[in-house]
């Protein structure tokens, strides 16, 4: 039987179909074009024709194995260009058999499509998969008897949300997302195993702590995404992966832009990397774990500064404590932000009025009762949106060697009475807390902080809006540790003296006491100072005993 189909370029939808009858010609299809059609030959000879035919008839050829298709003398063989395939049985919706989804991943570039097929495994219409699958070339074949009821409506299935066909398509897309999540993980594992065999993987042993497991997962996500840009030689590959590890750990938020500059990523690769990092949220986890471990290291370093037998003798208020704590305001409460550091009460007034968005008065000078310029160590303010009126915290620091007494407390009282007595402060109805913080206090001051009608630690109240507190560093640090308790347990992280001092020197080299600096930092031999550094097992490791 020979069938001839003719159409003209001017009316491509008008076909003339003639059946000639029996013939002795070889089976096949012959395409002929007449006239000025310069693109026809180029299109028919294009290299992607074979890929298109393969994707179009793959499911049909796998189902009907006695059928063969050849093009230009070459047999269409889907199995030869497949990387991976998986078949899923979806949920049965009505009287028809359960839909079946087959996903085929290809070696060469094929347009991603979701083909809706009839019961004979022939595509009726092709839709966009509407999923993110970076780095995968695939065709998904969704076969269901229900598609044959109204095949003319399938192209509009995405607009008919109430139809059974729409429900089947959405179910298939959900399965596709799950499929490629699994396949991305498979690819990462395969690539990591290859790097381990080549001895270029930048981690050793098996990760056991949650923070390290998270870091390695993030590394695998990023490194496998840019794997094709990594040098081929083992030495260069090992160096590149090592640098990538350090970059990801130190600056997770900037990793995509750094990789773009180093590897010259294409637009699609940048988008894929961003989607992967957004989907996994691993950079957020790394950022959180890094911040928590930094805070735990800082608290340990603060304990050394305050309670180590030798370190506390040389730790000064302005040179060390003040300069360090102005950048670690979270110690006094997560809700506070630093507003003023080592400034006079006049600057406190200006900052207070700026928070209220009030105009500055002509005279902004503020003096203590005897005319002196009072200088506060730290002024912090609550900046969260639910704070209905200003709430300030003024912190007065004292060096570790000072035992807090009534003399130090009287200085705090002067600051508080000056604020409450100044109409420019009082008119706004702000809440004020004044803290006097030190290592220890004498008994007379301690009794003042243990009054039955006041909360523990509060020594006095002036009016309804001003409270005065005396705090020991041991309890402040303990409160910080309690806030970090959940994260510390999750990370299974214990800060050591080495980690703590490394953090202190790295973040505050100019404020770190000389005896805590390593030899290569200050050029001074430790023995020459005749002052021992902090030691593991020193009584200072238990700050409550020293307090």
């Amino acid at each position: 039987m020979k069938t001839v189909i003719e159409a003209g370029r001017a009316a491509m939808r008008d076909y003339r179909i003639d059946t000639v009858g029996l013939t002795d010609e070889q089976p096949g299809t012959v395409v002929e074009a007449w006239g000025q059609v310069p693109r026809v030959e180029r299109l028919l000879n294009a290299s992607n024709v074979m890929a298109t035919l393969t994707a179009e008839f793959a499911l049909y050829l796998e189902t009907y194995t006695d059928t063969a298709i050849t093009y230009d003398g070459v047999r269409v063989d889907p199995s030869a260009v497949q990387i991976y395939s998986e078949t899923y049985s979806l949920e049965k919706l009505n009287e028809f058999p359960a839909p079946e989804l087959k996903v085929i991943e290809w070696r060469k570039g094929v347009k991603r499509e979701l083909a809706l097929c009839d019961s004979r495994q022939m595509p009726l219409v092709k839709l966009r998969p509407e999923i993110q699958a970076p780095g995968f070339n695939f065709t998904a074949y969704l076969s269901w008897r229900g598609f044959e009821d109204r095949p003319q409506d399938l192209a509009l299935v995405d607009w008919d949300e109430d139809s059974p066909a729409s429900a089947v398509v959405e179910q298939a897309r959900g399965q596709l997302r799950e499929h490629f999540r699994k396949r991305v993980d498979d690819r990462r594992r395969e690539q990591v195993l290859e790097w381990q065999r080549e001895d270029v993987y930048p981690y050793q042993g098996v990760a056991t702590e949650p923070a390290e497991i998270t870091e390695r997962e993030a590394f695998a996500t990023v490194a496998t995404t840019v794997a094709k840009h990594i040098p081929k030689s083992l030495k260069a590959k090992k160096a590149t992966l090592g640098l990538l590890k350090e970059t990801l750990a130190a600056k997770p938020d900037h990793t995509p832009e750094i990789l773009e500059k180093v590897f010259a990523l294409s637009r699609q690769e940048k988008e894929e990397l961003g989607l992967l990092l957004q989907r996994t949220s691993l950079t957020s986890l790394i950022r959180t774990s890094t911040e928590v471990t930094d805070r735990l290291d800082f608290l340990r370093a603060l304990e050394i500064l305050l309670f180590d037998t030798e370190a506390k003798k040389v730790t000064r208020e302005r040179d060390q404590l003040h300069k360090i704590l102005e950048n670690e305001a979270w110690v006094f409460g997560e809700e506070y932000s630093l507003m003023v550091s080592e400034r006079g009460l006049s600057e406190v007034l200006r900052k207070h009025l700026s928070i209220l968005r009030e105009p500055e008065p002509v005279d902004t000078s503020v003096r203590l009762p005897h005319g002196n310029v009072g200088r506060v160590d730290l002024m912090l303010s609550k900046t969260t949106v639910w704070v209905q009126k200003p709430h300030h915290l003024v912190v007065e620091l004292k060096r570790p060697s000072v035992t807090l007494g009534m003399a130090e407390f009287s200085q705090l009282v002067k600051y508080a009475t000056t604020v409450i007595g100044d109409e420019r402060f009082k008119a706004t109805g702000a809440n004020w807390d004044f803290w006097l913080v030190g290592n220890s206090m004498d008994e007379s001051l301690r009794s003042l902080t243990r009054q039955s009608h006041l909360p523990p630690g509060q020594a006095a109240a002036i009016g309804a809006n001003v409270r005065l507190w005396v705090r020991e560093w041991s309890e402040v640090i303990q409160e910080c540790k309690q806030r970090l308790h959940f994260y510390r347990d999750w990370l299974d992280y214990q800060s050591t003296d080495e980690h703590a001092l490394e953090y202190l020197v790295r973040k505050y080299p100019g404020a770190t006491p000389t005896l805590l600096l390593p030899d290569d930092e200050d050029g001074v031999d430790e023995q020459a100072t005749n002052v021992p550094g902090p030691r593991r097992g020193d009584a200072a490791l238990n700050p409550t005993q020293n307090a």
Side-chain angles (χ1 to χ4, degrees):
M1 184 74 68
K2 180 178 180 180
T3 302
V4 178
I5 303 174
E6 293 182 338
R9 187 181 181 187
M12 292 294 291
R13 294 183 178 275
D14 296 333
Y15 296 95
R16 187 172 73 251
I17 303 175
D18 295 324
T19 301
V20 177
L22 296 178
T23 177
D24 57 358
E25 296 181 28
Q26 290 294 321
T29 302
V30 177
V31 177
E32 296 179 332
W34 296 274
Q36 296 180 350
V37 190
R39 297 181 59 214
V40 169
E41 184 175 356
R42 180 163 57 86
L43 290 173
L44 292 178
N45 290 330
S47 59
N48 66 346
V49 169
M50 200 65 175
T52 302
L53 290 175
T54 301
E56 182 76 19
F57 294 101
L59 190 60
Y60 184 88
L61 292 174
E62 287 192 2
T63 304
Y64 305 100
T65 55
D66 58 343
T67 301
I69 299 176
T70 60
Y71 178 78
D72 199 18
V74 180
R75 181 170 178 170
V76 176
D77 183 8
S79 63
V81 290
Q82 285 185 28
I83 296 177
Y84 183 86
S85 69
E86 189 85 37
T87 302
Y88 302 95
S89 181
L90 304 183
E91 181 181 348
K92 189 175 185 297
L93 293 184
N94 47 29
E95 71 276 9
F96 298 124
E100 190 173 88
L101 177 69
K102 186 178 184 67
V103 186
I104 299 180
E105 299 172 19
W106 307 107
R107 297 183 188 279
K108 297 182 180 180
V110 174
K111 184 180 180 181
R112 298 176 180 178
E113 292 175 324
L114 173 59
L116 307 188
C117 304
D118 60 20
S119 57
R120 297 175 302 157
Q121 313 301 336
M122 287 297 295
L124 300 173
V125 70
K126 294 177 182 177
L127 305 176
R128 293 167 59 91
E130 301 293 352
I131 67 164
Q132 301 294 341
F136 289 92
N137 300 305
F138 69 91
T139 305
Y141 303 90
L142 179 58
S143 303
W144 186 48
R145 171 67 182 80
F147 289 149
E148 300 174 27
D149 278 359
R150 297 180 61 84
Q152 68 275 14
D153 296 337
L154 291 180
L156 302 176
V157 69
D158 285 331
W159 283 269
D160 188 8
E161 297 179 355
D162 297 328
S163 69
S166 177
V168 171
V169 169
E170 284 307 303
Q171 189 183 163
R173 284 171 173 157
Q175 183 61 64
L176 277 176
R177 294 185 185 96
E178 182 62 31
H179 170 85
F180 284 107
R181 276 195 288 268
K182 175 180 175 296
R183 290 292 294 141
V184 166
D185 292 339
D186 290 343
R187 279 191 174 184
R188 289 200 204 111
R189 283 192 291 269
E190 293 166 3
Q191 181 64 77
V192 168
L193 287 174
E194 180 181 338
W195 286 335
Q196 289 174 336
R197 288 192 295 267
E198 295 174 337
D199 194 27
V200 297
Y201 186 61
Y203 297 92
Q204 300 298 322
V206 179
T208 56
E209 297 182 0
E212 187 178 2
I213 293 172
T214 297
E215 181 179 340
R216 292 193 187 193
E217 289 176 351
F219 173 83
T221 298
V222 175
T224 53
T225 304
V226 300
K228 70 178 183 180
H229 295 281
I230 294 176
K232 301 301 180 184
S233 71
L234 294 182
K235 186 175 181 179
K237 188 183 297 185
K238 187 170 187 176
T240 302
L241 292 174
L243 289 172
L244 182 56
K245 170 193 172 185
E246 297 301 323
T247 299
L248 187 62
K251 297 183 177 181
D253 289 335
H254 300 290
T255 298
E257 59 189 76
I258 293 174
L259 293 181
E260 177 188 351
K261 294 178 181 178
V262 174
F263 295 123
L265 301 181
S266 67
R267 179 179 178 181
Q268 181 180 358
E269 288 170 329
K270 287 185 289 184
E271 292 176 354
E272 290 175 356
L273 181 60
L275 288 169
L276 279 172
L277 293 175
Q278 182 180 15
R279 178 174 71 82
T280 59
S281 299
L282 290 173
T283 53
S284 297
L285 291 175
I286 289 179
R287 185 168 57 249
T288 299
S289 62
T290 299
E291 182 174 353
V292 170
T293 54
D294 280 351
R295 288 189 174 190
L296 291 171
D297 287 340
F298 172 73
L299 290 177
R300 183 69 201 101
L302 188 59
E303 287 179 327
I304 293 173
L305 287 175
L306 296 170
F307 304 116
D308 179 82
T309 305
E310 302 299 336
K312 70 178 184 179
K313 294 178 181 178
V314 295
T315 298
R316 299 289 182 262
E317 172 201 328
R318 290 188 180 180
D319 295 339
Q320 277 91 34
L321 280 182
H322 180 269
K323 292 185 179 300
I324 292 171
L325 288 167
E326 68 181 4
N327 294 301
E328 306 280 355
W330 61 271
V331 168
F332 305 104
E334 302 292 344
E335 68 272 29
Y336 289 108
S337 297
L338 180 68
M339 294 298 171
V340 171
S341 176
E342 190 59 28
R343 296 293 183 89
L345 288 175
S346 300
E347 181 61 27
V348 171
L349 172 62
R350 283 191 285 270
K351 183 59 67 175
H352 169 69
L353 294 175
S354 70
I355 293 173
L356 296 174
R357 298 182 179 178
E358 296 282 346
E360 285 190 15
V362 176
D363 180 16
T364 59
S365 62
V366 181
R367 300 278 178 173
L368 293 175
H370 296 291
N372 296 331
V373 177
R375 297 182 69 84
V376 301
D377 288 337
L378 300 171
M379 172 192 168
L380 305 99
S381 295
K382 289 186 178 180
T383 56
T384 48
V385 295
W386 55 82
V387 175
Q388 297 181 353
K389 62 180 179 179
H391 190 141
H392 305 308
L393 171 63
V394 175
V395 180
E396 180 65 20
L397 302 169
K398 295 301 176 184
R399 69 180 65 180
S401 58
V402 172
T403 299
L404 303 179
M406 298 307 295
E408 288 73 26
F409 183 67
S410 65
Q411 182 181 2
L412 196 71
V413 173
K414 290 179 182 178
Y415 290 150
T417 54
T418 300
V419 168
I420 197 66
D422 193 305
E423 292 297 326
R424 295 166 298 182
F425 282 113
K426 189 167 61 174
T428 60
N431 291 321
W432 292 82
D433 283 312
F434 290 82
W435 283 17
L436 175 64
V437 186
N439 270 31
S440 61
M441 67 183 81
D442 62 24
E443 288 305 314
S444 60
L445 187 56
R446 186 179 299 278
S447 63
L448 196 61
T449 65
R450 298 294 185 267
Q451 301 179 63
S452 59
H453 66 289
L454 295 175
Q458 184 177 343
I462 304 176
N465 299 331
V466 179
R467 298 178 298 180
L468 284 73
W469 305 78
V470 182
R471 308 294 307 275
E472 290 180 322
W473 273 118
S474 57
E475 63 175 336
V476 173
I477 292 174
Q478 186 59 34
E479 289 174 1
C480 292
K481 289 182 177 180
Q482 289 175 352
R483 296 202 303 270
L484 296 171
H485 172 74
F486 169 80
Y487 298 102
R488 182 181 64 220
D489 289 350
W490 181 81
L491 293 170
D492 192 22
Y493 182 78
Q494 295 294 329
S495 180
T496 65
D497 291 1
E498 181 182 1
H499 290 154
L501 293 178
E502 186 277 331
Y503 175 85
L504 196 64
V505 172
R506 171 166 51 88
K507 292 292 292 290
Y508 310 108
T512 303
T514 303
L515 71 90
L516 298 181
L517 292 172
D519 293 345
D520 58 351
E521 290 289 337
D522 59 8
V524 179
D525 183 78
E526 186 177 352
Q527 294 181 353
T529 64
N530 199 29
V531 180
R535 302 168 298 281
R536 179 176 295 281
D538 195 329
L541 296 182
N542 188 344
T544 56
Q545 292 180 3
N546 290 291

